[in-house]
Amino acid sequence: MSMNNLGIVRRNIVRADRAAVEKLARFGVATVHEAMGRVGLMKTYMRPIYGGARVCGPAVTVLLQPGDNWMLHVAAEQLQDGDVVVAACTTDNDDGFFGDLLATSFRARGAKGLVIDGGVRDVKDLTAMEFPVFSRAVGARGTVKATLGSVNIAVVCAGAVVNPGDVVIADDDGVVVVPAAVAQQAADAAEAREANEADKRRRLAGGELGLDMYNMREPLAEAGLRYID
Amino acid sequence: MSMNNLGIVRRNIVRADRAAVEKLARFGVATVHEAMGRVGLMKTYMRPIYGGARVCGPAVTVLLQPGDNWMLHVAAEQLQDGDVVVAACTTDNDDGFFGDLLATSFRARGAKGLVIDGGVRDVKDLTAMEFPVFSRAVGARGTVKATLGSVNIAVVCAGAVVNPGDVVIADDDGVVVVPAAVAQQAADAAEAREANEADKRRRLAGGELGLDMYNMREPLAEAGLRYID
Amino acid sequence: MSMNNLGIVRRNIVRADRAAVEKLARFGVATVHEAMGRVGLMKTYMRPIYGGARVCGPAVTVLLQPGDNWMLHVAAEQLQDGDVVVAACTTDNDDGFFGDLLATSFRARGAKGLVIDGGVRDVKDLTAMEFPVFSRAVGARGTVKATLGSVNIAVVCAGAVVNPGDVVIADDDGVVVVPAAVAQQAADAAEAREANEADKRRRLAGGELGLDMYNMREPLAEAGLRYID
Amino acid sequence: MSMNNLGIVRRNIVRADRAAVEKLARFGVATVHEAMGRVGLMKTYMRPIYGGARVCGPAVTVLLQPGDNWMLHVAAEQLQDGDVVVAACTTDNDDGFFGDLLATSFRARGAKGLVIDGGVRDVKDLTAMEFPVFSRAVGARGTVKATLGSVNIAVVCAGAVVNPGDVVIADDDGVVVVPAAVAQQAADAAEAREANEADKRRRLAGGELGLDMYNMREPLAEAGLRYID
Amino acid sequence: MSMNNLGIVRRNIVRADRAAVEKLARFGVATVHEAMGRVGLMKTYMRPIYGGARVCGPAVTVLLQPGDNWMLHVAAEQLQDGDVVVAACTTDNDDGFFGDLLATSFRARGAKGLVIDGGVRDVKDLTAMEFPVFSRAVGARGTVKATLGSVNIAVVCAGAVVNPGDVVIADDDGVVVVPAAVAQQAADAAEAREANEADKRRRLAGGELGLDMYNMREPLAEAGLRYID
Amino acid sequence: MSMNNLGIVRRNIVRADRAAVEKLARFGVATVHEAMGRVGLMKTYMRPIYGGARVCGPAVTVLLQPGDNWMLHVAAEQLQDGDVVVAACTTDNDDGFFGDLLATSFRARGAKGLVIDGGVRDVKDLTAMEFPVFSRAVGARGTVKATLGSVNIAVVCAGAVVNPGDVVIADDDGVVVVPAAVAQQAADAAEAREANEADKRRRLAGGELGLDMYNMREPLAEAGLRYID
């Protein structure tokens, strides 16, 4: 058994069920995260490079070395239609690992977007291409191609574990990871939650208070809340 | 006398004079802050969730516990038309305390916006609603309803003291707090300052130097400034 | 010989060749930085105040003291048509050193934009003016005029050395500094690189892999990359 | 009524009761904070300049301008025996506002220590003097004496409101503020809490579980905790 | 299959082989990390609460909610002699989850130390106890016992995946995680590396250059390094 | 003319005058920085790895690539007795570029210490060796030897320009750079300042106020300071 997973490309991965991915694509990150019981979020420093960016798909994972984007080129060959590339780095690094050339290549090979715990550049071009990217930074500094990382191993990206094939959903609110094995279950739960929300929204818009709608008055009183004038 | 103000909701607060609030609403954060003598600003990490967001109104204050948005529901009941909710937290926390459901409720009860030293989510929906929110972070992580904070006590939000009823003004430049007792005075001073600025702007646009307009040459020379070729 | 350069204004500086500046203005920050061999970038915390902001020109440099914008007024007099003001500060400081009045003055004197390792304010007005500003922060806090810095000395701005007359290029990807002496060389190299990129983009868009286009397969194998199923 | 409190020195302040201060000095920051109901702490970035530093006393407050320590000299004259200087700054600033000369002066005038939301220097000398300082940073950069702040006004220091005369307690765990009016009450509560802790410590050391000692098993089961093998 | 692992306590975990743990305890974090091929490190913000703190043992893992240390009490019951508690949190939080009472309990139940991606307090007492703790912060703020997390599930702590039973080694250089399945292999590799280092140290101390000892001159020349006078 | 200085080792550098270096070694960082007129400091994030660490000597400069310490081995050959290695990095990076083996080599070649805008490891060993290191972080992550930087070029280290041969002085207060050409002048000015400080310290210890000693009362009154009771 190897002590680490560096220098490896896994070619055959099990992607989450396509129908489940398509269903999950209809819901926002906050909804999916809540539907799963409040798990799976990446850290809040992950931000879209343009407002309204949004992506959902099975993950092709990449582990990068700092200042080195060699593995993104390796990953391009492993892409299938609808994939989202999820790139972690062995250390915190804001260099510009990704730009419009790689985006062109990724798109040509079927990728729908990128989630990267590192920097990206050419954001004006990427925005014009409407290629959704979620990153920890915008950084123009170029990278070399000298040290091996891996493709399609389990990675920790911005604090979340991502296995190849897991569903990654990203929008203005952040990024959430849905393990492949529970993708359908999460999609169903998200649907249920959203239906439920529509009704709540209507009642709240009518002036009903959450205090009453969620029956909070009694537990608040029990917790000792006091009203004073 | 109690050692702390946790678990309290103050129902009757003295809001700043309505006319003063309306007048303050005409000025930007930088202008008001200068007019007051350079005080009252929150820390610069407080940012609008969409460009051009802007709000001005008397504060209904909230003290939250980390990962817990119970008190926001309690606060909803205390809102009056035109209020701005100002939410502090007992500790630094980027969780998503607030989203579109609470925004719907707050708006239905009269609130004009939110200033929160914590995270918010559903920013796409909030933007579509044009509900102005100024926050320390965007965070999708959901919160629980388990621990008491307070409503309408004095809070420290992003480094600034806010008393219930104080005027809070927020725009692209940040957030400023105007104590209720000096709201009219601050509005008048802001008006005077802005009038003054229009003239300065015209002169500077014509090529006049601040060096001359502000009579800086003599104090600069006294301070020892040397020109070399 | 003086131990420091404080309290000095250099009136005659050698600006980079105008034709080279104009040529450099056609290229993005990432391209220029790569063309120079991956040097000259400022830190990634420097961000435009509005999306799409872009500027290129010879630098008039300023060294500020914290909370004090006196030297920006001094700098205004030294501006020539096409200049970009580059302002460093003796210490990290997010105060609002610059706003729409100074922008009006700078523009009237010929400046095309500002790069400042400090805070700026009036961003709504600056955006309406389409005056490009790249800064470490947006900060509404006003500044005083009490302590001397300098104008047109060598400064370190956001981690990069800038000499007066150097070309500064800024866009959505960040800020890069091109020493005046190599401006033409950098412009030519950027042009060559961009021509080269157009061809690469076309091939990648057609589905060719970077692995093949850049001949990476052999060095990857030599480095020990293993493909597994 | 003035819109701000800049340029003011209040000479007569009401210090917390001396006996209460002396009693509070026996307890740690964590104990006092808990005894007050979990309020009054400064942000966690406030750290002692040497391990084991500890101070307790009524606050003489100072509001500083960035890069300017003028008001610390003004504050020295207002010190009485046993005081702790609490210095806030109008903006985040790591400059070295305080060093061994000021410490010598403060000690000669009766001060027992310093809590400062800014930088300090000469930490080797301050450590040799055993002069306790809690600060946001160590910064060697010197400051000027050009812009007015205030002495003995209410300040927000590292996120906590401090009024002149309030008791400030600082140790390796951080800094807590006790309003003067509740100093005796807080001291009594801290004493009660500490007595209680000694017994708990003994039981836990004997192997008893907090689960049993605090009767947590039932609420955990009610909350849904499941044990699996 | 459950979508999340919240509200679970796993009682039976497979701890790494005791002999392997004992052997690993002889080596430093940097050595073990290198021996594994440069993997397994937590982020650099994890620091010991006192210089020279050091711990090695199988992990009992905990997932905490922000501002809530309930699960640490639950974890105490699952401890065996020699264990190290590894506590992650669902969100970034510097509150003081752990102090001397819990340390007393943990030690009484066999724990050798704590690694926590959160705050701790009572650091003076913990230091006096020589109870090694590695944390993201020192924070005096107390926590509640209201929301469920889990014990002995896989967690991401400071960027590293930790499974219950994995070996965790922490010293002044940081924290490294060794999966239980490769503990013996890692220990052997660390031993080999350290033997190797002793010889290198002797040669370098004698003035031999790494350039020669590691045969770097040829690859440096090939990479294009130029010496100039 | 080359557009960058990568891949270069300058063998012959002009070190600051030895007598000036020896004289500077008697003074603290804060004193030297003040004596030069408040310039030359690195950012405050540069901290000693152990309390009391202190070093002064001419700089051998190094420019590193992220995650790559090749150039430190190249630099070892360029060291002369008394040198201090000053290592910058092309991007922010906390990896462990330096440990006890390199320290052994550096010391054997005459180096007195290291100032590095990156991470270091083996801090226990470095402390035992009493090898002074000032760094941005402690990081155990090992580095590769794959990409060229340079030795003995001008670098920006933690915000300060350092030319090879400049004097670098570091202690508990931070790091200051003295250009070689003004080393003697700075040493003399530091001596004068320190003599001056001894007298001030004596007077302040006797209770004299800075207000009087520095004649501040009149300028404070002119600035508008008001005393109230």
Side-chain angles (χ1 to χ4, degrees), chain B residues 65-67 90-93 95 141 144 146-147, chain E residues 65-67 90-93 95 141 144 146-147:
Chain B
Q65 302 284 357
T90 55
T91 191
D92 290 349
N93 187 241
D95 289 352
R141 188 175 179 271
V144 298
T147 310
Chain E
Q65 301 284 356
T90 55
T91 191
D92 290 348
N93 186 241
D95 290 352
R141 187 174 180 273
V144 299
T147 310

Side-chain angles (χ1 to χ4, degrees), chain B residues 51-75:
Chain B
R54 175 170 172 76
V55 76
C56 173
V60 163
T61 63
V62 184
L63 181 61
L64 298 164
Q65 302 284 357
D68 191 310
N69 75 346
W70 219 7
M71 289 302 114
L72 290 176
H73 290 280
V74 173

Side-chain angles (χ1 to χ4, degrees), chain C residues 22-56:
Chain C
E22 280 170 14
K23 187 167 182 177
L24 279 167
R26 294 162 31 200
F27 307 108
V29 165
T31 298
V32 173
H33 146 80
E34 288 281 359
M36 288 202 297
R38 285 183 197 141
V39 298
L41 287 173
M42 291 191 185
K43 302 264 181 193
T44 58
Y45 61 71
M46 295 296 282
R47 301 301 301 146
I49 58 166
Y50 55 91
R54 175 171 171 75
V55 75
C56 173

Side-chain angles (χ1 to χ4, degrees), chain B residues 1-6 35-39 43 45 92 117 136 156 159-161 181-182 185-186 189, chain D residues 1-6 35-39 43 45 92 117 136 156 159-161 181-182 185-186 189:
Chain B
M1 183 178 185
S2 168
M3 282 185 290
N4 68 55
N5 272 323
L6 293 173
M36 288 202 296
R38 286 186 195 140
V39 298
K43 301 266 181 191
Y45 61 71
D92 290 349
D117 196 356
R136 68 179 290 134
V156 176
V161 175
V182 297
Q185 192 180 350
Chain D
M1 183 179 184
S2 169
M3 282 186 290
N4 68 55
N5 272 324
L6 293 173
M36 289 202 297
R38 284 186 195 138
V39 298
K43 301 266 182 191
Y45 61 71
D92 290 348
D117 196 356
R136 70 179 288 133
V156 176
V161 175
V182 298
Q185 192 181 348

Side-chain angles (χ1 to χ4, degrees), chain C residues 65-66 90-92, chain D residues 49 64-73 87-89 91-103 106 114 116-123 126 133-145, chain F residues 29-31 33-34 38 41-45 47 172-174 193 197 214:
Chain C
Q65 302 285 357
T90 55
T91 191
D92 291 349
Chain D
I49 58 166
L64 298 163
Q65 302 285 355
D68 192 311
N69 76 345
W70 219 6
M71 289 302 114
L72 290 177
H73 289 280
C89 185
T91 190
D92 290 348
N93 186 241
D94 285 356
D95 289 352
F97 294 91
F98 182 86
D100 79 301
L101 285 183
L102 265 169
F106 276 20
L114 172 71
I116 181 167
D117 196 356
V120 296
R121 61 187 192 177
D122 302 334
V123 297
L126 295 173
V133 177
F134 297 77
S135 70
R136 70 179 288 133
V138 172
R141 188 175 180 272
T143 49
V144 299
K145 293 154 202 355
Chain F
V29 165
T31 298
H33 147 80
E34 288 280 0
R38 285 185 196 136
L41 287 173
M42 292 190 185
K43 301 265 183 192
T44 58
Y45 61 71
R47 300 301 301 146
D172 291 309
D173 284 348
R193 186 177 168 86
E197 287 212 343
Y214 301 112

Side-chain angles (χ1 to χ4, degrees), chain A residues 47-215:
Chain A
R47 300 301 301 146
I49 59 167
Y50 56 89
R54 174 170 172 76
V55 75
C56 173
V60 163
T61 63
V62 184
L63 182 61
L64 298 163
Q65 302 284 356
D68 191 311
N69 75 347
W70 219 5
M71 290 301 114
L72 290 177
H73 290 279
V74 174
E77 193 175 26
Q78 307 307 317
L79 291 169
Q80 291 186 6
D81 206 47
D83 285 347
V84 175
V85 179
V86 176
C89 184
T90 55
T91 191
D92 290 348
N93 188 241
D94 285 355
D95 289 352
F97 294 92
F98 181 87
D100 79 301
L101 284 183
L102 266 169
T104 301
S105 176
F106 276 20
R107 176 166 279 174
R109 307 293 294 195
K112 295 176 66 177
L114 171 72
V115 173
I116 181 168
D117 196 355
V120 297
R121 60 186 192 177
D122 301 333
V123 298
K124 188 183 166 190
D125 297 323
L126 296 172
T127 303
M129 290 172 68
E130 291 186 46
F131 190 87
V133 177
F134 297 76
S135 71
R136 69 179 287 134
V138 173
R141 187 174 179 271
T143 48
V144 298
K145 295 153 200 353
T147 310
L148 293 186
S150 287
V151 173
N152 281 333
I153 62 167
V155 295
V156 176
C157 181
V161 175
V162 187
N163 283 284
D166 287 350
V167 188
V168 171
I169 309 163
D171 64 20
D172 291 310
D173 284 349
V175 188
V176 69
V177 184
V178 182
V182 298
Q184 188 61 54
Q185 193 180 347
D188 295 345
E191 186 176 45
R193 184 176 171 85
E194 192 139 294
N196 189 16
E197 288 214 342
D199 178 58
K200 286 182 189 166
R201 192 174 295 110
R202 189 185 47 75
R203 290 167 66 185
L204 293 169
E208 187 172 344
L209 287 167
L211 286 178
D212 298 311
M213 194 171 80
Y214 302 112
N215 299 310

Side-chain angles (χ1 to χ4, degrees), chain B residues 7-191:
Chain B
I8 284 175
V9 183
R10 188 174 300 273
R11 274 187 293 232
N12 297 323
I13 63 172
V14 181
R15 286 168 173 80
D17 175 72
R18 181 174 295 265
V21 174
E22 279 170 15
K23 187 166 182 179
L24 280 167
R26 294 161 32 199
F27 307 107
V29 166
T31 298
V32 173
H33 147 80
E34 288 281 359
M36 288 202 296
R38 286 186 195 140
V39 298
L41 286 173
M42 292 191 185
K43 301 266 181 191
T44 58
Y45 61 71
M46 296 296 282
R47 300 300 301 146
I49 58 166
Y50 56 90
R54 175 170 172 76
V55 76
C56 173
V60 163
T61 63
V62 184
L63 181 61
L64 298 164
Q65 302 284 357
D68 191 310
N69 75 346
W70 219 7
M71 289 302 114
L72 290 176
H73 290 280
V74 173
E77 194 176 24
Q78 306 306 317
L79 291 169
Q80 292 186 6
D81 206 48
D83 285 346
V84 175
V85 179
V86 176
C89 184
T90 55
T91 191
D92 290 349
N93 187 241
D94 285 356
D95 289 352
F97 295 92
F98 182 87
D100 80 301
L101 284 183
L102 265 168
T104 300
S105 175
F106 276 21
R107 177 166 277 174
R109 308 292 293 196
K112 294 176 66 178
L114 172 71
V115 172
I116 182 168
D117 196 356
V120 296
R121 60 186 193 178
D122 301 333
V123 297
K124 188 184 167 190
D125 296 323
L126 296 173
T127 303
M129 290 171 69
E130 292 186 44
F131 190 87
V133 177
F134 297 76
S135 71
R136 68 179 290 134
V138 173
R141 188 175 179 271
T143 49
V144 298
K145 295 155 201 353
T147 310
L148 292 187
S150 288
V151 173
N152 281 334
I153 63 167
V155 296
V156 176
C157 181
V161 175
V162 188
N163 284 284
D166 287 349
V167 188
V168 172
I169 309 164
D171 63 20
D172 291 309
D173 284 349
V175 188
V176 68
V177 184
V178 181
V182 297
Q184 187 61 53
Q185 192 180 350
D188 294 344
E191 186 176 45

